[in-house]
């Protein structure tokens, strides 16, 4: 995830199920959450070099406000979000 714009980059997370679920998240928010989860993992004794396995339920909980937030892609430029 290099060369990202702090203002306009989004990541779309997809849970392939029936029906599919989508979370439209500003990339900076997702990266911040990833760092926080990794810090929590290492504070509980996990190795800093280990990949962090994230439960879907945790993503659903922490990113609830971004679920099906497709409008955010157009609102970002207007400062609505």
């Amino acid at each position: 995830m290099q060369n990202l714009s702090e203002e306009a980059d989004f990541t779309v997370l997809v849970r392939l199920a029936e029906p599919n679920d989508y979370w439209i998240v500003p990339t900076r928010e997702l990266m911040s959450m990833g760092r926080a989860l990794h810090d929590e993992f290492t504070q509980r004794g996990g190795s800093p070099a280990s990949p962090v396995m994230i439960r879907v339920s945790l993503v659903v909980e922490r990113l609830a406000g971004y679920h099906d937030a497709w409008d955010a892609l157009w609102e970002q430029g207007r400062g609505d979000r």
Side-chain angles (χ1 to χ4, degrees):
M1 298 184 116
Q2 296 177 353
N3 302 320
L4 299 174
S5 165
E6 283 293 314
E7 299 301 319
D9 282 320
F10 285 84
T11 300
V12 177
L13 302 174
V14 180
R15 179 172 61 174
L16 300 174
E18 285 295 325
N20 294 337
D21 280 314
Y22 303 91
W23 291 265
I24 296 74
V25 186
T27 301
R28 68 180 179 278
E29 297 285 332
L30 187 62
M31 296 194 59
S32 177
M33 184 185 93
R35 283 189 293 274
L37 288 170
H38 189 266
D39 289 347
E40 290 173 24
F41 175 73
T42 56
Q43 288 172 0
R44 290 192 315 263
S47 168
S50 297
V52 178
M53 299 301 291
I54 301 173
R55 294 185 326 269
V56 170
S57 61
L58 187 59
V59 171
V60 169
E61 175 186 315
R62 293 199 180 190
L63 298 177
Y66 298 104
H67 186 253
D68 284 331
W70 294 103
D71 289 343
L73 296 173
W74 291 269
E75 294 171 355
Q76 184 70 21
R78 297 187 314 221
D80 293 346
R81 185 127 162 95

